[in-house]
Amino acid sequence: MKVTTPPIVDSHELAKRLHETGGHEALKGDCRPVAEILVRIGDKWSVLIVMLLGAGPRRFNEIRRLVDGISQRMLTLTLRGLERDGLVTRTVFPTIPPRVDYALTDLGHSLRQPITALGEWAYANRPSIEAARTAFDRAAAKRNG
């Protein structure tokens, strides 16, 4: 079975393609791989863990205590996925009991800026979004009843 990967496009080339075509149409061939990455980095647990590890390495139980509501299984799966994608490293220290630290890679650190920008956008636009939701819900209630 032959596996092909899309050519790597630098950010300037991508911006140029997006501008020339008027949007996401420039990405048609690249959508599936991008979607897979967005699934990983877009889930709430990954976002929280990346931002938490931005302050430095943490142990598993420390992360679990600091990320409210995450189960042990979900934390394990999320950390494994982040490690697989090259965003997090897992370091085992030969102590008794073994100590395991998780830390961001350079790639993981590079994700902090867009996550921060998205969080700031969400915070700044929260009142507008809540107003839109309220208006939508009122209109839906009138239509239904």
Side-chain angles (χ1 to χ4, degrees):
M1 180 172 140
K2 183 178 179 184
V3 178
T4 59
T5 58
I8 297 173
V9 178
D10 72 33
S11 59
H12 297 293
E13 177 64 23
L14 180 59
K16 181 180 172 188
R17 284 172 49 192
L18 289 171
H19 178 73
E20 289 171 353
T21 61
H24 72 282
E25 293 299 314
L27 299 175
K28 270 194 177 173
D30 303 329
C31 285
R32 219 174 268 147
V34 170
E36 291 173 7
I37 293 168
L38 291 175
V39 165
R40 161 65 52 222
I41 64 173
D43 80 77
K44 73 176 182 178
W45 301 123
S46 293
V47 168
L48 293 172
I49 291 167
V50 166
M51 294 310 291
L52 177 65
L53 292 177
R58 305 276 184 164
R59 296 171 88 173
F60 183 91
N61 284 327
E62 185 180 9
I63 298 168
R64 188 166 174 216
R65 277 192 308 273
L66 293 170
V67 179
D68 189 39
I70 194 167
S71 68
Q72 181 170 335
R73 175 169 164 68
M74 184 53 68
L75 179 55
T76 299
L77 292 173
T78 303
L79 286 168
R80 197 171 293 152
L82 291 169
E83 183 181 8
R84 180 175 182 251
D85 289 345
L87 300 168
V88 167
T89 59
R90 179 180 186 268
T91 305
V92 180
F93 295 92
T95 60
I96 299 176
R99 176 179 150 201
V100 180
D101 282 359
Y102 294 90
L104 290 181
T105 63
D106 288 342
L107 185 61
H109 278 288
S110 74
L111 181 57
R112 292 179 64 223
Q113 182 181 2
I115 287 176
T116 299
L118 184 58
E120 289 170 354
W121 177 89
Y123 187 79
N125 290 285
R126 188 173 158 202
S128 298
I129 292 169
E130 288 174 354
R133 288 176 177 172
T134 299
F136 181 91
D137 292 345
R138 282 188 188 139
K142 285 182 183 178
R143 282 192 305 270
N144 296 329

